[in-house]
Amino acid sequence: MTRKTLETDIEIMESNELIIQCEDKIFSHMVKTLFYYMGLKVKFRADFDLIHHLWEDSAITIAQFLKEKISDKKINRFSTKIVPMDDALILVAVDISRAYSSVEMDIKEEEKGFEIGNFREFINALSSNLPATIHVKQLSGINAHHIIEGGFKSLGMALKEATGESEKIVSTKGMI
């Protein structure tokens, strides 16, 4: 899966190992965390002009990658995960069906690179392009690094379960 714009050039492909190639060390760590907890080995490469574009366009590309991966499968559809990371406790709930996102976080101790705005843009873009309903709720915590990374861990675990194969179509309508 490739997304090339005037602002970004992002590529994701399946691999034998998890490889992240991106100049932004914080974002690289978050994307590696996401794919690790999703249980996916991929090669992720990203070139970008602005950090905001990196976060948003990466989420679009990840959504397209996941959408293609599950397109011909019956999936679990739903998942909710609550993950602690030191002071942070983060809840993520996912329904892979239609686009809606909610991010309720209140970071008390800011840290460069762990801005809530970029995280929110990532979740919004992922939600819109998969599509999926994604709720991220900070239950506790003050440290920006722990809150944002806890969000990626929870999201990875929830997406792993929600995109997992099901024996049936998980919908009373008979289709998602």
Side-chain angles (χ1 to χ4, degrees), residues 119-136:
F119 182 76
R120 185 175 283 110
E121 286 301 317
F122 184 93
I123 297 298
N124 289 341
L126 184 68
S127 168
S128 297
N129 290 275
L130 190 45
T133 296
I134 303 173
H135 289 267
V136 182

Side-chain angles (χ1 to χ4, degrees), residues 4 16 30 41 43 59 61 79 85 93 96 105 127 169:
K4 186 175 176 86
N16 292 331
M30 296 303 104
K41 292 180 181 175
K43 179 179 179 184
T61 311
S79 182
M85 183 168 172
I96 299 176
M105 292 181 160
S127 168
I169 296 172

Side-chain angles (χ1 to χ4, degrees), residues 38-105:
M38 286 176 54
L40 296 177
K41 292 180 181 175
V42 300
K43 179 179 179 184
F44 175 93
R45 181 192 53 76
D47 294 312
F48 59 96
D49 59 355
L50 301 174
I51 298 295
H52 174 91
H53 296 150
L54 169 66
W55 284 66
E56 184 175 27
D57 284 21
S58 292
I60 292 168
T61 311
I62 291 167
Q64 292 169 339
F65 176 80
L66 292 174
K67 189 174 187 174
E68 184 176 284
K69 198 166 179 49
I70 64 172
S71 66
D72 60 348
K73 297 179 180 155
K74 296 175 186 168
I75 59 168
N76 293 324
R77 180 178 166 184
F78 298 101
S79 182
T80 300
K81 298 294 179 187
I82 301 173
V83 173
M85 183 168 172
D86 299 336
D87 60 297
L89 184 61
I90 309 298
L91 175 143
V92 172
V94 172
D95 171 7
I96 299 176
S97 62
R98 56 184 161 252
Y100 177 82
S101 65
S102 172
V103 176
E104 294 181 33
M105 292 181 160

Side-chain angles (χ1 to χ4, degrees), residues 45 97 118 138 155:
R45 181 192 53 76
S97 62
N118 287 330
Q138 173 188 340
L155 180 61

